[in-house]
Amino acid sequence: MKNLFLSVVTGLMLTGAGGIAAPVWSTGELQLANGTLLKGELNYNWKAEIVRYRQGDVVKAYSALQVSNFRYFDTNQNTLRKFVSVLYPFKSKQVRPQFAEECTAGPLTVYRQLRPTREMLRIGNSIATEADPELVKNMDNFEYFVVDGQDVVRLRDFSRTLWPRMCDEFGQALQQYVIKRDLNVNTTLTRLLLINHYNYLKIQAVTEPDEVPSLGR
């Protein structure tokens, strides 16, 4: 029985070693903390929080401490993905530079970080270093953070902190937006949509101060 157990574990380890996929390189650009801009191919290892840069035969790896921001075109998602290095305790009692992905920009900017799951940590699972495309498609696999000036609020505190503040400025327009689309304010998608709409109303109020923001604008 002991030999059988060892054989199974050894087999899993060998399968894992052989099953690790080759790094996926994407066209993009990376700006270092010192301002240097690098253009080439990028590979982001979310678990190690390392972004690798390749130009020709030269490959270099950078941590969040060395990087200001980077972006690349994700062919799986068919979108340009943007990441920044932020100094904030996203995780309890940790204050150090970390990479976070920008998913909404404006007066309220939303960043997200992929949450590790038990599935990611299986032996031989290649997404232990690179996010599986299907995993990334699920919004609820991320932890979201909203930056409002100097304040950082977790999206899960939306109803208690952000929503009342947003309604103080554009309550009628936002409520109409919810009612017209029959939205559930407790879902991640709805909260992101409301923040995006709030940003739109906020920008419109600044650029066209004499006009009242409305749902149809």
Side-chain angles (χ1 to χ4, degrees):
M1 180 64 71
K2 180 178 180 181
N3 290 336
L4 177 61
F5 174 76
L6 290 175
S7 297
V8 171
V9 172
T10 302
L12 286 172
M13 293 177 66
L14 290 174
T15 301
I20 297 177
V24 177
W25 295 93
S26 304
T27 302
E29 60 182 36
L30 181 152
Q31 185 172 25
L32 300 178
N34 63 12
T36 302
L37 182 64
L38 304 175
K39 297 183 178 182
E41 294 179 294
L42 303 180
N43 169 257
Y44 176 44
N45 182 321
W46 71 268
K47 187 177 181 183
E49 291 192 2
I50 293 293
V51 56
R52 290 191 290 177
Y53 165 75
R54 181 173 74 176
Q55 187 175 48
D57 296 329
V58 179
V59 177
K60 295 183 179 180
Y62 299 95
S63 69
L65 185 64
Q66 301 167 295
V67 173
S68 171
N69 60 80
F70 66 93
R71 63 183 66 193
Y72 65 87
F73 186 78
D74 187 329
T75 55
N76 287 317
Q77 304 299 317
N78 194 33
T79 188
L80 181 66
R81 300 182 67 182
K82 304 176 183 179
F83 295 80
V84 296
S85 176
V86 292
L87 186 62
Y88 184 78
F90 285 124
K91 299 175 183 178
S92 178
K93 298 182 180 178
Q94 288 186 353
V95 182
R96 61 182 177 83
Q98 299 177 55
F99 287 127
E101 182 176 8
E102 177 188 294
C103 54
T104 296
L108 294 180
T109 300
V110 183
Y111 297 98
R112 67 180 188 177
Q113 289 183 315
L114 195 60
R115 269 198 302 258
T117 66
R118 186 175 301 176
E119 180 70 12
M120 296 181 201
L121 303 178
R122 291 187 311 173
I123 295 176
N125 195 337
S126 63
I127 61 174
T129 55
E130 295 181 23
D132 177 61
E134 294 304 315
L135 188 75
V136 173
K137 288 179 182 178
N138 188 341
M139 289 185 171
D140 292 323
N141 285 330
F142 292 87
E143 183 75 25
Y144 294 83
F145 306 88
V146 184
V147 178
D148 179 12
Q150 298 299 314
D151 297 330
V152 180
V153 180
R154 294 178 185 271
L155 189 64
R156 61 190 178 196
D157 296 328
F158 178 87
S159 298
R160 182 171 57 86
T161 56
L162 286 173
W163 184 233
R165 191 186 313 172
M166 293 162 61
C167 286
D168 282 344
E169 294 184 72
F170 303 105
Q172 182 177 357
L174 291 172
Q175 292 290 353
Q176 289 177 351
Y177 185 87
V178 170
I179 294 171
K180 183 176 181 179
R181 292 161 179 79
D182 192 23
L183 300 175
N184 179 356
V185 184
N186 294 318
T187 67
T188 299
L189 176 59
T190 293
R191 291 174 176 183
L192 293 176
L193 287 173
L194 286 170
I195 289 173
N196 189 64
H197 191 57
Y198 168 87
N199 285 341
Y200 174 79
L201 294 171
K202 187 83 170 177
I203 293 170
Q204 288 297 304
V206 172
T207 57
E208 302 177 20
D210 295 332
E211 296 187 23
V212 178
S214 64
L215 180 62
R217 294 185 58 82

